[in-house]
Amino acid sequence: MTALDDLRQARTLPQLIRAAAAAYGDDPAVVLQREGQADETIGFAGLDAESARIARGLIARGVGKGSRIGFIFGNGPMFATVFAAIARIGAVAIPISTMIRANELVRVLRQSDVAGVIVQRSLLGHDYVERFCDALPELRTAPDPELRIAAAPYLRWIVSDGGGLPPAIRDMGFLTEAADTVDPALLEAVEAEVHPTDQMVEIYTSGSMALPKGVKHDHGPALERAHYLPGMLELERGKQVTAQLPMFWVGGLMMYLMPDWVAGAVTLCADRTLSNSRFSMGAVLAEEDLKLTVSRPYWGLGMSETLGPYSYGDVHRAPGRPVCAPMDHWAEGYEVRVVDEEGRPVGEGGIGEIQIRGRAVTPGLHKIARETIFTPDGFLRTGDLGEVEGARVHFAGRSGEMIKTNGSNVSPAEVEMELQSLEGVHNAYVVGLPDAERGQVVAAAVVARDEDAALDFAGIEAQLRQRLSSYKVPRRYLQIRRDEVPMLPSNKVARRQIEAMLQDRLAHPA
């Protein structure tokens, strides 16, 4: 059996790491490109060796199957190395967003039950050790690194690099020096007991109105997905692929890093990436952003719970459909249906919830009962609405974001698309505000392309009335600056805060 045969049969991450090293050797695997600096590169063999060293250190420190280990790294060789080190020994790898703020960080640390965290010292001027100290003030005064912190009760150690670390945070030597006490044969024995049904990763994400949620995925389904995607993405050995999305979320991990690993492609990284929210369902893109996303296949909807996109279209955008490609096809391994509130299939022209079942769908969310998000027959309730058009399904919005005005449903995405097509408009955010007469009234917060220019909302409304049914046209408008758009720690637009901003400023104009 050849190394490539072993690679094709890999069904756990340790199998993939070792097989890729044997198949591709010193070929570059992950490259971090920094402006004005030399590239940082790691090959497939180096990725195996370096992750094995950290893995042996983790074993020496008592980490084993099911241990929950968090890490914060930007896209690059160290992200791949640390992720591989954790997952190859059967521990649960929990990547944490580099954009996370202190108040969100403490919630993720507590919700995730992490026992240890490996932290990049700094990225783009952000000191993550300082951010941890802001999240857990006890770290500033703790006399030693044996952590006992009520706000993160399972957390026992934090590891970072660089000088000037507080006594509560350990240097990377805590792991790398301990590695020498673990025989490589023990690592192989540990890896042999990692099974496709074991949890590999837990991706933390937050919805617009929810606390962080941990989305579980097992080795087997993740590896099956990683084997499937290279064919869809036309990946091959040595092909250079720019990772446009962060690897700490499902987009970067499952659309770039892992398929590239399987194919022997080179994952090109930069310090700055586009956020998942700019490519996710429910976010209407400005025209310049759209140009960045156009490539085949024309992916449709996807989410953390489905290990990325589960649908794709024959065209990039259907007329009048602003958010994503039409869902003409379901990716391999997914069963999808569109149903009404009673679970009955929606007919032609109807709108219902998109529900999904399949191997690649998460087995569940951490600390959340399965029946909360799954139907009795095993379909994931996505909360996304789909409109049926023959064999095709169109995304119609999030169930919690649809506006009900005078008994009619308005999709914010449709109105946002029309607003953003108008000259002088950069971005628009459409929400429903309470209204005694209509139930809700359509309102829009609008960002001008030239922020020094005042938008003519009377003219904008006149143009919209030529493009939209009258009930969809906003009745209230507010011009805001780009830096006023409220964002969640997940880098998604905080629509609840936009609603509050509109209500306050429209009621109390300056």
Side-chain angles (χ1 to χ4, degrees), residues 112-433:
S112 64
D113 302 323
V114 290
V117 185
I118 307 172
V119 184
Q120 180 172 347
R121 180 60 185 271
S122 64
L123 176 67
L124 298 174
H126 300 296
D127 186 326
Y128 289 100
V129 167
E130 185 65 22
R131 190 159 297 178
F132 265 76
C133 290
D134 288 341
L136 303 171
E138 295 95 328
L139 295 174
R140 299 188 192 279
T141 55
D144 61 61
E146 299 293 334
L147 302 182
R148 304 289 188 273
I149 300 174
Y154 287 96
L155 182 63
R156 293 294 171 263
W157 51 261
I158 301 172
V159 168
S160 190
D161 58 355
L165 294 172
I169 296 180
R170 301 176 185 270
D171 183 82
M172 277 293 292
F174 175 70
L175 298 177
T176 55
E177 292 169 12
D180 294 336
T181 68
V182 174
D183 193 300
L186 177 58
L187 173 61
E188 289 190 38
V190 167
E191 291 179 348
E193 294 308 315
V194 177
H195 289 253
T197 54
D198 290 331
Q199 187 178 347
M200 181 186 81
V201 69
E202 193 160 291
I203 297 170
Y204 269 79
T205 181
S206 61
S208 300
M209 304 170 190
L211 291 173
K213 59 182 179 180
V215 183
K216 303 177 182 182
H217 286 291
D218 296 340
H219 284 260
L223 268 291
E224 290 169 20
R225 183 76 168 151
H227 283 292
Y228 165 77
L229 283 167
M232 292 292 293
L233 300 172
E234 299 181 346
L235 300 178
E236 58 185 21
R237 183 174 182 174
K239 180 177 181 178
Q240 296 188 336
V241 180
T242 300
Q244 296 181 341
L245 301 173
M247 294 173 184
F248 52 74
W249 284 330
V250 75
L253 183 67
M254 293 306 304
M255 297 299 290
Y256 297 104
L257 182 61
M258 289 193 62
D260 291 349
W261 225 331
V262 168
V266 186
T267 307
L268 299 179
C269 306
D271 285 335
R272 297 182 186 276
T273 58
L274 299 171
S275 79
N276 263 18
S277 64
R278 293 176 64 186
F279 293 89
S280 65
M281 58 281 187
V284 178
L285 305 183
E287 189 63 31
E288 57 266 37
D289 295 333
L290 268 174
K291 293 175 183 176
L292 297 171
T293 71
V294 181
S295 62
R296 299 184 71 97
Y298 299 127
W299 292 110
L301 292 187
M303 56 198 307
S304 298
E305 289 86 342
T306 60
L307 282 175
Y310 59 82
S311 63
Y312 56 99
D314 295 325
V315 295
H316 178 241
R317 292 287 187 270
R321 306 290 179 172
V323 178
C324 68
M327 289 168 271
D328 296 310
H329 310 281
W330 309 124
E332 185 178 294
Y334 298 98
E335 182 182 354
V336 184
R337 67 187 185 189
V338 183
V339 298
D340 63 19
E341 292 180 357
E342 283 72 44
R344 297 171 302 202
V346 168
E348 179 69 20
I351 294 177
E353 183 185 42
I354 300 170
Q355 298 182 349
I356 310 169
R357 183 168 67 181
R359 282 268 297 160
V361 175
T362 178
L365 305 184
H366 187 54
K367 294 182 177 177
I368 295 177
R370 181 176 170 84
E371 57 267 24
T372 303
I373 61 168
F374 285 93
T375 64
D377 55 348
F379 279 83
L380 174 73
R381 299 184 180 99
T382 67
D384 296 327
L385 300 178
E387 181 179 345
V388 176
E389 182 189 33
R392 170 181 276 184
V393 176
H394 298 286
F395 177 66
R398 290 285 295 169
S399 58
E401 294 176 0
M402 294 294 282
I403 301 168
K404 191 84 166 181
T405 180
N406 265 354
S408 299
N409 288 320
V410 176
S411 167
E414 180 182 7
V415 184
E416 289 168 1
M417 178 197 68
E418 295 296 350
L419 276 164
Q420 288 173 189
S421 71
L422 302 179
E423 185 176 353
V425 173
H426 174 69
N427 257 324
Y429 307 95
V430 173
V431 298
L433 299 183

Side-chain angles (χ1 to χ4, degrees), residues 60-82:
R61 297 304 181 186
V63 176
K65 182 177 287 191
S67 298
R68 304 172 64 79
I69 306 298
F71 62 106
I72 299 182
F73 284 89
N75 282 9
M78 278 303 294
F79 181 99
T81 300
V82 172

Side-chain angles (χ1 to χ4, degrees), residues 1-10 19-20 22-24 227 237 261-264:
M1 184 178 292
T2 68
L4 283 174
D5 289 330
D6 288 339
L7 186 63
R8 295 186 189 103
Q9 294 182 22
Y24 305 129
H227 283 292
R237 183 174 182 174
W261 225 331
V262 168

